[in-house]
Amino acid sequence: QVQLVESGGGLVQPGGSLRLSCTISRNIFMFNDVGWYRQAPGNQRELVANINVGGVTNYADSVTGRVTIFRDENTVALQMIALKPEDTAIYYCYARTLGHIDWGQGTQVTVSS
């Protein structure tokens, strides 16, 4: 059983920054890709960013230029700047192998003045 534990969420003012971190219980290079989704109330879960085993990154259009994804052997992190109220959501870390995805429990990010 793979465990993913997120941290770093919280309340931040518009224009502020946050760094989310996800610790994964297995070596990250065992997965095809890892990354972050988010889900706002009433909305479907959407991809924020991911990185594959080869190091190729992918970002949602809505966060491009404001979000950077990082990884090391057991951690995938999301550095977010210039946050907007529409970034408010629960952020979920994931790790994917062929045919299977493991999820973290989620961390709340609230962007509000």
Side-chain angles (χ1 to χ4, degrees):
Q1 181 76 19
V2 178
Q3 293 185 330
L4 297 88
V5 180
E6 299 104 332
S7 61
L11 173 64
V12 62
Q13 293 188 342
S17 302
L18 274 179
R19 185 181 178 98
L20 305 182
S21 185
C22 175
T23 300
I24 303 175
S25 62
R26 293 185 184 173
N27 188 299
I28 210 165
F29 296 100
M30 296 177 62
F31 301 99
N32 292 98
D33 60 277
V34 296
W36 294 84
Y37 276 71
R38 67 185 180 185
Q39 188 167 19
N43 289 359
Q44 291 187 334
R45 195 172 292 192
E46 62 175 2
L47 177 70
V48 179
N50 61 15
I51 182 167
N52 71 13
V53 66
V56 177
T57 58
N58 178 44
Y59 296 94
D61 289 343
S62 59
V63 303
T64 296
R66 301 188 297 117
V67 168
T68 306
I69 190 166
F70 300 93
R71 67 172 181 189
D72 61 20
E73 286 188 351
N74 294 102
T75 304
V76 55
L78 203 62
Q79 180 67 49
M80 303 188 290
I81 64 171
L83 284 163
K84 305 175 182 180
E86 50 263 44
D87 294 317
T88 296
I90 300 175
Y91 284 68
Y92 297 92
C93 171
Y94 81 92
R96 174 165 37 204
T97 55
L98 287 176
H100 184 75
I101 300 177
D102 291 289
W103 296 94
Q105 80 286 354
T107 186
Q108 177 71 47
V109 171
T110 303
V111 184
S112 175
S113 55

